[in-house]
């Protein structure tokens, strides 16, 4: 059976490394342990670990990587490897170099001394016993990369000469085009990899397949998913057959669902070696027990499922044993012989499962965890120091609300982490009448798909309502409102708007004053100062600022209520376009103004458009830009340099430190002025379809004018009801226009505080690097505050940082991020009822993607899918398609014709800025970055919340 779906060397089991002394080039499987990856590769390490754990593994042996290296001693492979290590995944020479490497490996064959050991080991299995010869690469089964099918496996190999030939071909398969490309794409140096080969007795399988000990679709742990089909498991693993599928509760052994596949393909061993593929004819029933069966002549007759209930439960029990041994859900391959005995031919972690929270709730029962990172528009993981900072801020919020927080560094009790992202336990919200009423409405405007999940879980009997009064909420909100004088702020905003704005200026200045620390402060003093900023100072600005934008939106809602059916949603959205006091749009317009000034200097323009962003950044740091852009960028960064992409993470460099992104945006703006062409996803030229747009500054002014005109129309409409209606509407919309733009200010103040914290941590990092306790100053962001204390006391953290960086890099590659998790790992969004599935299928068939309306209007244009704004390029009129956006993305909006986001709600950052610039936007579109391709022509209807192929 082919076990090519490699996923990862196991953790746990026996940790003592087995000695290979006395074994030359061959190791029996029962002498192999999971920590021998460098000697036997990932597949053999897994098989050996299972064998020594007493799990039913077919007998066999492994040719170690020493055999591969011995075969290549003196072979002319070094030059090829050096060339391969210097190629990029798009390099046209990659395939040719891989072919040269294959030719070299095949030419050397199996050395005589290695062949003799293979002959001896093979004969121990039995004379002419059928075996599987399986590649086992050292760059296989890594946690961050699945090398499924990259190297070859040969089934039903009979005779030692055939085994030796298969060994040579396995070695050569390390250099297939697909394997070389995959390693290059994942940054694995070709010169560091080697191949071992597993030779394992074949099982005469009556039935075989794969089994996941956790449901890979829903994330639900303890729910085994078994795929099975007659014959060798290669048919299932390769996807050649539609197998039977059974879902089983591992703990109770209850069979939850069963689906009978068509089983039109069967792979069987041939006498004397090799396999045959049998294609069956006839129409099979797809579900239920009353299905058709395949006869020996290939015709269809009546049949039962290929596994009995007893066998299904026995498989689930075996899966439970495997998972218990490794203490993690496993992806296994299995076979059942003609006597009904079960065998395991592979097991590896299910790397696609999203990790469960890092700690267990103190109270029992089911819990629901909401992804706060996604709610903030952040898909990437946070650095360890970034998460440590958020824990302190969350602890401050909880303490101010009257909750007990024993250790602020660990965060408050609702705070959790999973996959290096922030989650909050919202179980108490779901069990509260007030929580059920408020939370979905808040998320309707922040992250609409999360709001739908909250509503769905509110109907789940596992989250039955237990708190029906508002007193608990009042008990925690009232102290915050009193401490920070929220009623006074609201009244001031209503009746003394000028004084309200002056008070905001004072709040911001007080925060900046709190940052002061003598230059001569020691690292210990800096660390205490940092924790004080995070644990006390930053949150204080939120309840002093947030009431004003909240008041603005509340008064807008009042106008809607007063006018009732006489006002539409689109008309109210027009009122909040071109808002003053929005620090993010002010930043974007300041950057555009800088580009406009640079554009007046032809020499400066030429300097910019002839260089890449990284080169421009180096020139800026050295003071080498032309005079006008050098001075202008210095002024811009003095004002906005504390911002960054993913800016709530302390570990992310600020623009003032690393201006590459900003210089790339400026370069793009200036190229647009020259009429530069767009490039495709791979960088190849593509003819753009520009949509004429007014200057962004003029566009913003026009939006503000449209808003004022709309206010006048709504006041006139109110006057038809009564003079009082008109007066109230004029008053309400005046306050809405004054304050709604301030919604960005609380986060901006937070960002200022985080940037100040980062500056201190960089200085501490330099001291630790100079003392040899870190390799680099930036490594400090892969520690938490307790680690920093220990490092300052003399502990070295190089190894810890290396491991955390590896974990962080792995999470950066993760594409699927759940909005919500349950205690057992279930992703509620992945559990869809049949009616919803049918509806989604109809929408998909029509090609229409749906989300939430964020900014009205309709635009048709070419899509540009962008996963990371740094270095991104967007032509005028192109539609930006992104997983999410935070303020670091918004400079791209100035040239966008429309916006489509996978995350967000009508009041998320991207939606707000899109409205400011008057570009149609739809947010909360599932899998938009996958289902839309760069260069595809689409229509974005911001009013209906739909995206349609044009």
């Amino acid at each position: 059976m082919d076990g090519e779906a490699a996923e990862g060397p196991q953790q746990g089991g026996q940790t003592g490394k087995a000695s290979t002394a006395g074994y030359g080039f061959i190791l029996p499987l029962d002498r192999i342990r999971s920590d021998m990856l460098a000697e036997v590769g990932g597949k053999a390490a897994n098989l050996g670990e299972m064998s020594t754990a007493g799990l039913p593994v077919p007998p066999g042996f492994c040719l170690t990587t020493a055999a591969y290296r011995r075969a290549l001693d003196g072979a002319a492979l070094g030059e090829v490897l050096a060339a391969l290590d210097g190629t990029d995944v798009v390099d046209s020479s990659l395939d040719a170099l891989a072919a040269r490497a294959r030719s070299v490996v095949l030419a050397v064959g199996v050395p005589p001394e290695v062949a003799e050991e293979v002959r001896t080991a093979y004969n121990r299995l039995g004379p002419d016993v059928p075996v599987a010869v399986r590649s086992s690469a050292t760059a296989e089964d890594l946690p961050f990369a699945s090398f499924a099918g990259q190297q070859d496996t040969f089934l039903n190999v009979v005779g030692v000469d055939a085994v030796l030939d298969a060994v040579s071909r396995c070695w050569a398969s390390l250099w297939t085009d697909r394997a070389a490309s995959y390693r290059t794409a994942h940054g694995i140096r070709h010169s560091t990899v080697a191949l071992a080969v597993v030779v394992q007795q074949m099982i005469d399988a009556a039935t075989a397949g794969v089994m996941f000990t956790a449901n890979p679709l829903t994330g639900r742990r303890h729910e085994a998913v078994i795929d099975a089909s007659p014959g060798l498991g290669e048919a299932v693993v390769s996807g050649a057959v539609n197998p039977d599928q059974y879902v089983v509760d591992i703990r109770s052994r209850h069979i939850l669902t069963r689906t009978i596949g068509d089983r039109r393909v069967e792979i069987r061993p041939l006498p004397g070696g090799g396999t045959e593929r049998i294609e069956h004819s006839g129409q099979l029933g797809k579900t239920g027990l009353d299905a058709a069966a395949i006869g020996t002549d290939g015709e269809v007759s009546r049949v039962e499922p290929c596994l009995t209930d007893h066998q299904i439960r026995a498989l689930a029990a075996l899966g439970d044993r495997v998972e218990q041994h490794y203490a993690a859900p496993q992806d296994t391959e299995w076979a059942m012989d003609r006597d009904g005995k079960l065998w395991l031919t592979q097991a590896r972690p299910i790397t696609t499962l999203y990790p469960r929270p890092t700690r267990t709730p103190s109270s029992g029962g089911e819990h629901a965890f909401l992804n706060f990172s996604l709610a903030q528009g952040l898909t990437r993981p946070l650095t360890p120091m970034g998460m440590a900072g958020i824990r302190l801020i969350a602890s401050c919020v909880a303490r101010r609300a009257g909750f007990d927080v024993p250790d602020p560094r660990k965060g408050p009790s609702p705070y959790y982490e999973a996959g290096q992202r922030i989650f909050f336990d919202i179980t108490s919200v779901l069990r509260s009448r007030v929580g059920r009423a408020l939370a979905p409405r808040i998320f309707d405007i922040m992250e609409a798909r999360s709001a739908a999940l909250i509503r769905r879980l509110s109907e789940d009997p596992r989250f039955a309502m237990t708190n029906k009064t508002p007193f608990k909420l009042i008990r925690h909100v009232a102290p915050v409102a009193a401490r920070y004088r929220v009623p006074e702020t609201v009244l001031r905003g209503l009746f003394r708007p000028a004084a309200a704005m002056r008070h905001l200026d004072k709040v911001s200045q007080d925060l900046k004053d709190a940052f002061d620390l003598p230059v001569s402060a020691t690292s210990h003093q800096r660390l205490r100062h940092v924790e004080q900023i995070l644990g006390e100072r930053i949150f204080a600005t939120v309840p002093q600022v947030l009431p004003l934008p909240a008041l603005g939106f509340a008064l807008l809602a009042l106008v809607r209520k007063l006018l009732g059916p006489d006002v539409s949603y689109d008309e109210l959205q027009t009122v909040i376009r071109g808002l003053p006091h929005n620090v993010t749009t002010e930043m974007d317009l300041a950057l555009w103004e800088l580009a406009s000034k640079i554009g007046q200097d032809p020499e400066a323009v030429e300097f910019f458009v002839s260089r890449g962003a990284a080169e421009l950044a180096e020139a800026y740091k050295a003071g080498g830009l032309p005079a006008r852009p050098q001075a202008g960028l210095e002024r811009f960064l003095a004002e906005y340099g504390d911002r960054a992409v993913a800016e709530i993470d302390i570990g992310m460099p600020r623009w003032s430190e690393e201006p590459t992104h900003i210089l790339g945006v400026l370069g793009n703006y200036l190229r647009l002025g020259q009429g530069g062409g767009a490039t495709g996803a791979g960088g190849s030229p593509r003819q753009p379809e520009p949509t004429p747009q007014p200057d962004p500054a003029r566009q913003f002014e026009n939006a503000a004018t449209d808003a004022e005109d709309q206010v006048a129309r709504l006041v006139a409409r109110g006057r038809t009801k009564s003079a009082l209606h008109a007066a109230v509407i004029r008053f309400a919309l005046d306050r809405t226009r004054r304050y709604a733009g301030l919604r960005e200010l609380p986060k901006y103040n937070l960002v200022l505080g985080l940037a100040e914290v980062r500056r201190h941590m960089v200085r501490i990092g330099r001291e630790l690097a100079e003392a040899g306790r870190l390799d680099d100053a930036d490594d400090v962001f892969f520690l938490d505050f307790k680690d920093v204390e220990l490092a300052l006391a003399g502990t070295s953290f190089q190894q810890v940082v290396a491991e955390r960086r590896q974990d962080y890099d792995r999470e950066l590659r993760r594409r699927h991020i759940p909005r919500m998790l349950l205690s057992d790992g279930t992703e509620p969004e992945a559990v869809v009822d049949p009616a919803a599935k049918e509806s989604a299928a109809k929408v998909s068939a029509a090609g229409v993607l749906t989300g939430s309306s964020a900014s009205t209007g309709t635009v048709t244009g070419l899509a540009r899918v962008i996963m990371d704004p740094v270095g991104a390029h967007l032509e005028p009129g192109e539609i930006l398609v992104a997983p999410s956006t935070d303020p670091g993305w918004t400079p791209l909006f100035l040239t966008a014709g429309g916006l489509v986001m996978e995350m967000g709600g009508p009041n998320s950052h991207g939606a707000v800025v899109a409205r400011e610039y008057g570009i149609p936007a739809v947010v909360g579109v599932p899998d938009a970055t996958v289902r839309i391709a760069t260069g595809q022509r689409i229509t974005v209807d911001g009013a209906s919340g739909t995206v349609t192929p044009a």
Side-chain angles (χ1 to χ4, degrees):
M1 176 170 179
D2 185 356
E4 287 298 308
E7 296 258 2
Q10 313 301 320
Q11 302 298 317
Q14 302 203 29
T15 57
K17 188 170 182 176
S19 171
T20 61
Y23 276 93
F25 300 109
I26 297 291
L27 273 175
L29 287 182
D30 59 10
R31 293 297 303 264
I32 295 173
R33 304 290 187 271
S34 63
D35 59 356
M36 297 172 64
L37 179 67
E39 297 164 270
V40 301
K43 190 176 281 90
N46 289 341
L47 290 168
E49 177 69 19
M50 287 194 291
S51 180
T52 57
L55 293 164
V57 175
F61 60 90
C62 174
L63 282 82
T64 67
T65 54
Y68 171 82
R69 292 190 172 96
R70 172 67 187 87
L72 294 180
D73 278 349
L77 197 59
E79 181 183 339
V80 180
L81 295 183
L84 278 167
D85 282 339
T87 58
D88 187 78
V89 71
V90 297
D91 196 319
S92 59
S93 66
L94 186 63
D95 290 353
L97 289 169
R100 282 178 57 191
R102 286 198 303 276
S103 297
V104 170
V105 176
L106 285 171
V108 300
V110 181
E113 62 271 35
V114 176
E116 186 57 34
E117 288 195 27
V118 172
R119 188 180 308 276
T120 301
Y122 176 74
N123 287 334
R124 287 196 188 107
L125 294 177
D128 289 335
V129 62
V131 294
V133 182
R134 312 169 71 188
S135 302
S136 182
T138 55
E140 183 177 43
D141 290 7
L142 299 177
F144 59 85
S146 170
F147 279 72
Q150 302 303 319
Q151 284 84 43
D152 288 341
T153 284
F154 301 94
L155 303 177
N156 200 38
V157 180
V158 179
V160 70
D161 292 337
V163 169
L164 291 172
D165 178 66
V167 167
S168 183
R169 287 192 283 162
C170 281
W171 285 344
S173 73
L174 187 61
W175 304 103
T176 60
D177 296 346
R178 63 182 183 274
S181 296
Y182 203 78
R183 288 194 297 270
T184 299
H186 284 81
I188 298 170
R189 292 180 62 81
H190 299 277
S191 55
T192 65
V193 299
L195 194 81
V197 178
V198 175
V199 179
Q200 196 174 18
Q201 186 173 325
M202 282 285 294
I203 301 301
D204 185 14
T207 307
V210 299
M211 171 173 56
F212 295 89
T213 65
N215 194 316
L217 297 179
T218 66
R220 186 170 290 153
R221 269 58 167 185
H222 308 299
E223 191 173 274
V225 179
I226 300 168
D227 286 353
S229 191
L232 299 180
E234 163 66 9
V236 178
V237 174
S238 65
V241 68
N242 183 20
D244 291 0
Q245 185 173 93
Y246 314 94
V247 181
V248 189
D249 186 311
I250 285 184
R251 291 166 294 191
S252 69
R253 307 288 194 264
H254 178 61
I255 301 172
L256 303 173
T257 65
R258 73 185 87 218
T259 304
I260 310 305
D262 56 31
R263 289 153 31 191
R264 295 182 181 279
V265 175
E266 185 176 343
I267 297 177
R268 295 174 177 167
L270 287 169
T275 61
E276 64 175 339
R277 177 186 173 111
I278 302 172
E279 303 278 351
H280 296 293
S281 60
Q283 181 65 41
L284 298 183
K286 288 188 181 259
T287 60
L289 295 176
D290 185 17
I294 303 166
T296 56
D297 58 357
E299 291 303 314
V300 174
S301 59
R302 294 183 60 78
V303 71
E304 297 295 320
C306 62
L307 291 176
T308 67
D309 286 4
H310 174 75
Q311 291 166 338
I312 294 169
R313 294 188 178 100
L315 261 173
L318 180 58
D320 193 19
R321 285 179 60 194
V322 177
E323 181 170 316
Q324 291 299 322
H325 174 72
Y326 292 118
Q330 300 292 299
D331 169 6
T332 69
E333 296 172 17
W334 59 271
M336 185 176 66
D337 64 23
R338 301 291 174 180
D339 297 325
K341 181 176 179 179
L342 290 172
W343 297 88
L344 286 168
T345 57
Q346 188 57 286
R348 57 254 165 184
I350 309 174
T351 56
T352 55
L353 285 177
Y354 194 82
R356 285 195 285 184
T358 51
R359 59 188 178 88
T360 303
S362 56
S363 61
E366 193 69 74
H367 284 252
F369 306 95
L370 183 73
N371 192 329
F372 183 75
S373 291
L374 282 188
Q376 286 294 306
L378 189 61
T379 57
R380 62 183 295 140
L382 275 73
T383 60
M385 183 61 71
M387 290 190 292
I390 298 297
R391 286 197 294 271
L392 282 179
I393 295 171
S395 294
C396 175
V397 175
R399 284 183 297 166
R400 293 291 183 268
F403 291 97
D404 182 37
V405 184
D407 185 351
R409 286 181 174 179
K410 293 182 178 179
S413 58
Y415 176 93
Y416 288 79
E417 293 167 4
Q420 299 176 31
R421 294 165 178 89
I422 306 164
F423 285 77
F424 279 94
D425 187 343
I426 63 165
T427 306
S428 60
V429 173
L430 294 171
R431 295 187 181 280
S432 162
R433 186 190 299 275
V434 176
R436 291 183 177 194
L438 293 181
R441 295 181 183 179
I442 293 171
F443 277 92
D444 277 336
I445 61 175
M446 283 181 59
E447 219 292 301
R449 289 166 64 188
S450 295
L453 288 175
I454 293 172
R455 288 188 173 96
R456 187 196 302 175
L457 287 181
S458 296
E459 300 172 358
D460 191 317
R462 292 174 296 177
F463 299 100
M465 188 188 304
T466 57
N467 180 14
K468 299 183 179 181
T469 69
F471 299 126
K472 188 174 182 180
L473 176 65
I474 293 171
R475 188 168 69 248
H476 293 297
V477 171
V480 176
R483 179 186 180 101
Y484 295 105
R485 301 181 177 180
V486 170
E488 180 181 332
T489 299
V490 172
L491 290 172
R492 187 187 298 118
L494 280 171
F495 302 113
R496 299 176 59 206
M501 297 304 297
R502 288 195 300 271
H503 181 72
L504 284 189
D505 292 339
K506 183 177 183 304
V507 169
S508 297
Q509 188 58 50
D510 288 347
L511 177 64
K512 294 175 182 176
D513 291 344
F515 296 161
D516 287 343
L517 187 71
V519 177
S520 60
T522 66
S523 286
H524 286 92
Q525 290 171 331
R526 291 184 187 281
L527 184 60
R528 287 196 296 272
H529 182 61
V530 157
E531 294 196 78
Q532 185 181 49
I533 290 174
L534 294 169
E536 296 180 20
R537 300 293 187 183
I538 288 181
F539 171 69
T541 68
V542 175
Q544 297 182 79
V545 175
L546 195 57
L548 288 179
L551 173 64
F553 283 105
L555 291 172
L556 187 67
L558 173 64
V559 171
R560 185 172 192 175
K561 189 169 184 178
L562 287 174
L563 291 176
D566 293 337
V567 65
S568 69
Y569 174 82
D570 289 355
E571 289 175 314
L572 291 178
Q573 290 298 300
T574 301
V575 170
I576 52 176
R577 290 183 58 200
L579 290 169
H581 312 309
N582 185 321
V583 67
T584 298
T585 53
E586 289 172 356
M587 172 190 74
D588 294 340
L589 293 173
L591 189 63
W592 182 267
E593 182 181 5
L594 174 58
S596 299
K597 291 180 178 178
I598 296 172
Q600 298 169 13
D601 183 343
E603 291 184 5
V605 172
E606 175 60 28
F607 188 93
F608 265 75
V609 300
S610 63
R611 290 166 173 80
E615 188 178 355
L616 290 170
E618 291 303 315
Y620 169 75
K621 292 175 186 177
L625 294 180
R628 181 174 292 179
Q630 181 77 29
L633 188 57
E634 288 173 357
R635 287 192 297 272
F636 176 84
L637 293 178
E639 180 71 22
Y640 299 108
D642 285 343
R643 307 219 77 155
V645 177
E647 58 195 4
I648 66 169
D649 184 356
I650 299 168
M652 295 299 292
R654 309 292 113 170
W655 288 341
S656 56
E657 301 172 69
E658 185 46 72
T660 303
H661 173 48
I662 289 300
L663 282 158
V665 172
L666 279 173
N668 286 339
Y669 288 170
L670 294 169
R671 288 186 186 90
L672 300 182
Q674 290 195 331
T679 58
S684 58
R686 178 174 56 75
Q687 289 300 316
E689 295 189 16
T691 299
Q693 290 179 250
D695 176 282
R698 179 66 59 83
Q699 194 169 339
F700 184 81
E701 292 173 3
N702 292 343
T705 300
D706 290 344
E708 295 296 344
D709 291 344
Q710 185 63 55
V711 168
R713 286 192 291 271
L714 294 179
V715 170
R717 207 170 295 170
R719 192 173 292 113
T720 63
K721 294 179 178 291
S722 72
L724 180 59
H725 274 79
V728 171
I729 290 171
R730 181 184 293 106
F731 178 87
L733 295 182
D734 173 79
R735 297 309 187 259
T736 294
R737 295 276 310 156
R738 287 177 186 270
Y739 301 139
L742 294 170
R743 70 171 300 279
E744 295 285 314
L745 188 57
K747 183 176 181 181
Y748 183 65
N749 284 335
L750 169 69
V751 168
L752 295 179
L754 295 177
E756 181 68 15
V757 166
R758 181 178 168 85
R759 281 188 279 271
H760 288 293
M761 295 312 303
V762 167
R763 296 191 63 162
I764 294 173
R766 288 179 188 147
E767 179 180 319
L768 294 175
E770 290 169 2
R773 295 163 205 157
L774 295 175
D775 290 333
D776 185 83
D778 279 350
D779 287 349
V780 74
F781 298 109
F782 287 84
L783 306 179
D784 60 24
F785 295 115
K786 183 178 180 180
D787 295 332
V788 173
E789 282 183 346
L790 293 173
L792 289 173
T795 304
S796 294
F797 276 87
Q798 284 93 338
Q799 183 60 37
V800 170
V801 168
E803 292 171 359
R804 290 178 182 173
R805 280 191 180 276
Q806 187 178 55
D807 293 342
Y808 179 78
D809 289 342
R810 181 175 67 249
E811 284 300 326
L812 278 174
R813 294 183 176 94
R814 190 184 294 278
R815 289 295 303 274
H816 172 66
I817 314 297
R819 280 172 171 70
M820 195 176 289
L821 289 173
L822 301 186
S823 301
D824 66 352
T826 300
E827 298 180 24
E829 197 170 25
V831 181
V832 184
D833 60 74
K837 280 186 178 180
E838 184 178 352
S839 174
K842 290 179 180 177
V843 171
S844 178
V848 179
L849 306 182
T850 59
S852 299
S853 173
S855 178
T856 57
T858 302
V859 63
T860 298
L862 298 180
R864 173 77 65 167
V865 178
I866 296 178
M867 305 303 294
D868 186 335
V870 178
H873 181 68
L874 198 69
E875 284 288 331
E878 285 188 324
I879 296 168
L880 172 61
V881 182
S884 185
T885 62
D886 67 3
W889 286 73
T890 57
L892 295 174
F893 288 24
L894 296 182
T895 57
L899 173 68
V900 179
M901 295 196 320
E902 292 180 336
M903 269 73 79
N907 220 20
S908 57
H909 293 288
V912 169
V913 179
R915 282 197 299 271
E916 296 282 13
Y917 299 145
I919 60 176
V922 178
V923 299
V925 181
D927 303 319
T929 60
V930 175
R931 300 169 72 180
I932 299 173
T934 293
Q936 181 181 353
R937 192 172 179 83
I938 60 175
T939 296
V940 177
D941 186 336
S944 66
T946 60
V947 182
T948 311

